[in-house]
């Protein structure tokens, strides 16, 4: 049985990672959640979970079927019943019954007091799956800054940089987060968050595609295909689009933001690590930046590693 689970609740996607008997268990799904309303489901089976008696629908079925769901970027989402439903959905679908859960807070929101408050709030929840079975909540709940999981996922294989000054760049779907570690310690005042996640690129490609062809799907997988190959095929018809200028513009903006933030860090930066789902858009142009392995899951894997070390201490 796994002792620890790392859960990365992103604004766009939620990822989890755990390891039991040498076997990895991963889960990823859109962070789509909504109070369950049977009259708008149109017969579609949507995974549900109850949080303190209130029923929520969670996951990709909401997105695939065009059903309404909450804006997770809104202020107040973290710690809300909807946020708790996402955590409960992970615990339910991974069948996790271990000792510890580690998740993150956006770096600009992170304070030790807020982390302790959220941990206690999670412990008080009552989760019930769609079959009416209670979902156990781990005894130990740790909340650390979002992005720090990237740091811990890297140092487990390269422990030599733990004592160095390390800047971490986390490129998510909606935001780009930056955190800083010095001598293995998180430096709270050096954290920042910018509204320039990979969604900017996706939205711009959607806009240009609709101008050229008059229509376009909301499916991100199609955009990924266009980014990789410059085209995609639908029902035998090929649609091509040169998106290099869009991506180059995004690269310049991200690189400029990182360089600007580096200038505000009071200590000499020895290493810059980068992870997150948006990393693939531009990493080949970022000199002196170390891309971590498995960037989409790096936070969740690092949260897992942090929890594993905590239980050892």
């Amino acid at each position: 049985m796994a002792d620890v689970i790392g859960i990365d609740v992103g604004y766009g996607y939620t990822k989890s990672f755990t390891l039991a008997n040498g076997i990895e268990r991963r889960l990823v799904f859109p962070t789509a959640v909504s109070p369950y309303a049977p009259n708008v489901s149109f017969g579609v089976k949507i995974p549900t979970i109850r949080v303190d008696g209130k029923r929520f629908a969670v996951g990709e079925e909401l997105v695939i079927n065009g059903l309404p769901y909450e804006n997770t970027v809104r202020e107040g989402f973290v710690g809300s019943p909807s946020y708790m439903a996402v955590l409960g959905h992970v615990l339910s679908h991974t069948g996790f019954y271990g000792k510890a859960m580690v998740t993150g807070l956006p770096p600009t929101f992170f304070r030790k007091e807020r982390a302790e408050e959220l941990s206690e709030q999670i412990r008080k929840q009552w989760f019930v799956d769609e079959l009416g079975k209670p979902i156990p909540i781990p005894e130990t709940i740790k909340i650390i800054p979002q992005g720090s999981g990237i740091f811990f996922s890297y140092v487990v294989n390269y422990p030599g940089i733990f004592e160095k000054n390390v800047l971490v760049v986390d490129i998510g779907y909606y935001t780009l987060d930056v955190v800083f570690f010095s001598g293995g310690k998180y430096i709270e005042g050096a954290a920042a968050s910018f509204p320039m996640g990979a969604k900017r690129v996706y939205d711009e490609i959607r806009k240009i595609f609709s101008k050229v062809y008059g229509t376009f799907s909301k499916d991100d997988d199609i955009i990924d295909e266009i980014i990789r190959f410059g085209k995609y095929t639908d029902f035998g018809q090929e649609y091509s689009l040169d998106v290099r200028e869009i991506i180059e513009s995004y690269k310049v903006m991200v690189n400029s933001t990182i360089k600007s933030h580096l200038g505000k860090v009071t200590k000499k930066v020895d290493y810059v690590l980068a992870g997150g789902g948006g990393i693939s858009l531009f990493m080949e142009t970022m000199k002196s930046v170390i891309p971590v392995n498995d960037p989409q899951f790096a936070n969740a894997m690092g949260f897992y590693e942090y929890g594993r070390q905590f239980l050892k201490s």
Side-chain angles (χ1 to χ4, degrees):
M1 183 179 73
D3 283 338
V4 182
I5 187 168
I7 304 177
D8 174 15
V9 182
Y11 290 129
Y13 290 86
T14 292
K15 289 78 63 180
S16 72
F17 178 89
T18 188
L19 188 64
N21 301 320
I23 300 174
E24 294 183 358
R25 296 199 64 183
R26 301 177 180 222
L27 181 67
V28 58
F29 58 91
T31 309
V33 57
S34 176
Y36 181 70
N39 58 319
V40 298
S41 67
F42 303 111
V44 177
K45 181 171 175 53
I46 302 173
T48 62
I49 187 168
R50 292 186 185 273
V51 178
D52 291 339
K54 187 174 182 180
R55 196 176 182 191
F56 290 86
V58 183
E60 65 181 356
E61 283 78 6
L62 287 169
V63 179
I64 292 172
N65 292 284
L67 300 175
Y69 54 90
E70 292 190 27
N71 173 19
T72 57
V73 187
R74 66 177 172 84
E75 185 177 350
F77 172 72
V78 176
S80 70
S82 298
Y83 172 87
M84 298 299 174
V86 173
L87 293 179
H89 180 81
V90 172
L91 295 175
S92 174
H93 282 256
T94 57
F96 181 75
Y97 297 98
K99 298 176 182 178
M101 177 180 79
V102 182
T103 189
L105 268 175
T108 50
F109 296 157
F110 184 85
R111 298 291 182 274
K112 183 179 179 181
E113 298 78 11
R114 176 67 181 109
E116 291 174 351
E117 178 185 290
L118 181 59
S119 296
E120 186 60 29
Q121 194 177 351
I122 295 170
R123 287 189 192 93
K124 293 179 178 178
Q125 301 302 307
W126 179 253
F127 296 146
V128 177
D129 68 17
E130 54 192 344
L131 299 177
K133 183 180 178 181
I135 302 167
I137 297 174
E139 179 182 346
T140 299
I141 298 171
K142 302 298 291 183
I143 311 292
I144 61 178
Q146 203 80 8
S148 61
I150 294 171
F151 174 75
F152 292 116
S153 71
Y154 189 81
V155 299
V156 69
N157 295 314
Y158 302 93
I161 77 164
F162 184 80
E163 295 296 332
K164 302 293 185 178
N165 295 330
V166 183
L167 190 81
V168 179
V169 180
D170 180 7
I171 304 146
Y173 191 69
Y174 284 98
T175 62
L176 184 152
D177 296 329
V178 181
V179 296
F180 182 61
F181 286 83
S182 180
K185 295 181 179 179
Y186 172 71
I187 307 302
E188 195 171 284
S193 185
F194 306 93
M196 54 177 66
K199 186 177 183 292
R200 282 200 175 200
V201 173
Y202 286 49
D203 287 348
E204 188 64 21
I205 291 174
R206 285 189 182 96
K207 185 168 65 175
I208 299 301
F209 194 99
S210 66
K211 285 182 180 180
V212 174
Y213 292 104
T215 183
F216 194 59
S217 169
K218 293 183 178 180
D219 192 342
D220 286 349
D221 290 339
I222 292 175
I223 298 180
D224 285 334
E225 191 172 337
I226 292 174
I227 290 172
R228 287 196 300 270
F229 307 113
K231 61 184 179 180
Y232 91 101
T233 302
D234 186 41
F235 290 103
Q237 181 173 351
E238 184 177 285
Y239 298 88
S240 62
L241 190 70
D242 188 347
V243 298
R244 288 175 293 182
E245 186 175 337
I246 295 172
I247 294 172
E248 286 301 319
S249 177
Y250 179 72
K251 291 175 182 177
V252 170
M253 178 179 65
V254 170
N255 284 327
S256 175
T257 299
I258 293 171
K259 288 178 181 178
S260 176
H261 191 74
L262 278 169
K264 297 176 183 178
V265 177
T266 56
K267 295 187 178 184
K268 174 182 174 293
V269 176
D270 299 310
Y271 296 94
V272 179
L273 305 179
I279 191 178
S280 60
L281 290 173
F282 63 87
M283 280 312 301
E284 69 277 5
T285 67
M286 296 184 67
K287 297 178 181 179
S288 304
V289 173
I290 303 171
V292 299
N293 292 329
D294 211 342
Q296 185 184 34
F297 275 88
N299 259 317
M301 294 170 73
F303 291 165
Y304 164 83
E305 184 59 31
Y306 178 89
R308 194 173 70 86
Q309 295 298 328
F310 179 82
L311 290 181
K312 285 183 177 181
S313 63

